[in-house]
Amino acid sequence: MTVNIDYCRCMVTMLEVTDITAPADEVCCAALVKKPIGQQDAEQLAVTLKALADPARLRLLSIVASSQGQEACVCDLIEPVGLSQPTVSHHLKILTEAGFLSRAKRGTWAYYRLQPEALTGVADFLTI
Amino acid sequence: MTVNIDYCRCMVTMLEVTDITAPADEVCCAALVKKPIGQQDAEQLAVTLKALADPARLRLLSIVASSQGQEACVCDLIEPVGLSQPTVSHHLKILTEAGFLSRAKRGTWAYYRLQPEALTGVADFLTI
DNA sequence: GCGGGATATTGACGAACGTCGATGCTCAGT
DNA sequence: ACTGAGCATCGACGTTCGTCAATATCCCGC
């Protein structure tokens, strides 16, 4: 697996790692491992991870992601996850605010679409 | 970024994706995106992600990871995170049970060491 | 503009979580 | 053995979270 400098830059700016003092023996990335992150960065990252850390939201995200066009409306999600409509809307809102989904209203339907960059962004954080 | 088949196999076995019916137009990985995950898999993955989804635990993990030998004892972690010793022990236990840290007692000290595979395992889940 | 369908918001409730002080446990040195 | 240091566990507290029923909002077709 090769990781180029662009992936790193995305993370570096997000974590504002401006003064890297750790030994530069690694190629790139893994901001979490290079240098202790600050309190604010930790809180922001925790919010993002907390959006994923729920079985219902993981299933919703997975259903949307595996739908054609990586897109689905709320009415198609209620029955598969077995939760009430307000609860599904609640979870979709959290996923959207965290950047994992985007929302587009067409008619009376609300279509949620996967934002793959958000997933890869989190993944790069955890990759050595 | 190239992802080989071995990374995929690791995830496939973990999610027991035995009957992949989704179109095989993608090379590999991203079990979350290929096919809707089941309830049990979602709960297990949520437990793992929930272990990361806390500012104190992210900071602890980051401090341990950036220590020499990717290892640190509890007494070295209390002051940097600014929490009580019982709270630090509590968080370290959660991170250890989730597989992100390992614990080794030497004398009266308990040394926690980073388990990088756990991080890459989660990252592969989220990578397209 | 009215009625009905799809979705979002509100309010409420129980469960889970993060935190701490107090206490228990284990090991090293005396 | 006794003592102190390092760490884990326990019990308790306030907060956050996930969930639902009820209600509000938006939009389309008549």
Side-chain angles (χ1 to χ4, degrees):
Chain A
M1 175 184 293
T2 62
V3 181
N4 61 30
I5 192 69
D6 292 328
Y7 274 97
C8 183
R9 179 170 298 280
C10 151
M11 288 301 102
V12 166
T13 54
M14 185 169 172
L15 276 185
E16 58 173 324
V17 180
T18 52
D19 52 338
I20 296 183
T21 55
D25 48 2
E26 308 217 9
V27 180
C28 184
C29 284
L32 202 64
V33 182
K34 271 203 171 307
K35 168 173 175 291
I37 64 177
Q39 178 68 20
Q40 292 184 1
D41 298 332
E43 289 177 359
Q44 176 56 46
L45 183 51
V47 170
T48 303
L49 287 171
K50 207 168 293 188
L52 286 178
D54 179 83
R57 288 195 285 272
L58 284 172
R59 296 188 65 194
L60 286 171
L61 199 67
S62 183
I63 294 173
V64 171
S66 56
S67 299
Q68 37 193 354
Q70 294 188 330
E71 186 184 64
C73 74
V74 182
C75 56
D76 296 331
L77 300 172
I78 296 174
E79 182 264 341
V81 295
L83 293 173
S84 71
Q85 176 267 319
T87 301
V88 172
S89 275
H90 168 68
H91 287 311
L92 291 173
K93 182 178 183 181
I94 292 177
L95 286 171
T96 303
E97 289 176 344
F100 295 109
L101 295 177
S102 67
R103 179 179 182 273
K105 193 156 191 179
R106 295 202 289 270
T108 51
W109 292 273
Y111 287 88
Y112 287 87
R113 184 188 295 268
L114 181 70
Q115 302 289 93
E117 321 80 39
L119 282 176
T120 55
V122 175
D124 288 341
F125 249 106
L126 311 175
T127 305
I128 305 295
Chain B
M1 173 184 294
T2 61
V3 182
N4 60 30
I5 192 68
D6 290 329
Y7 273 98
C8 183
R9 178 171 299 279
C10 152
M11 288 301 102
V12 167
T13 54
M14 185 169 173
L15 277 185
E16 58 175 323
V17 180
T18 53
D19 53 339
I20 295 182
T21 56
D25 48 3
E26 307 218 9
V27 181
C28 185
C29 283
L32 202 64
V33 181
K34 269 202 170 310
K35 169 174 176 289
I37 64 177
Q39 177 67 22
Q40 292 184 1
D41 297 331
E43 289 177 359
Q44 175 54 47
L45 183 51
V47 169
T48 303
L49 287 170
K50 206 167 296 188
L52 286 179
D54 180 83
R57 287 195 287 271
L58 284 172
R59 296 188 64 194
L60 285 171
L61 199 66
S62 183
I63 295 173
V64 171
S66 57
S67 299
Q68 39 192 355
Q70 294 188 331
E71 186 184 62
C73 73
V74 181
C75 56
D76 295 332
L77 300 171
I78 296 174
E79 183 264 340
V81 295
L83 295 173
S84 70
Q85 177 266 318
T87 301
V88 173
S89 276
H90 167 69
H91 287 311
L92 291 174
K93 181 179 182 180
I94 292 178
L95 286 171
T96 303
E97 289 176 344
F100 295 109
L101 294 178
S102 67
R103 180 180 182 272
K105 192 155 191 180
R106 294 202 291 270
T108 52
W109 292 273
Y111 285 88
Y112 286 86
R113 184 187 295 267
L114 180 70
Q115 303 287 92
E117 320 81 37
L119 282 176
T120 56
V122 175
D124 289 340
F125 248 106
L126 311 176
T127 306
I128 304 295

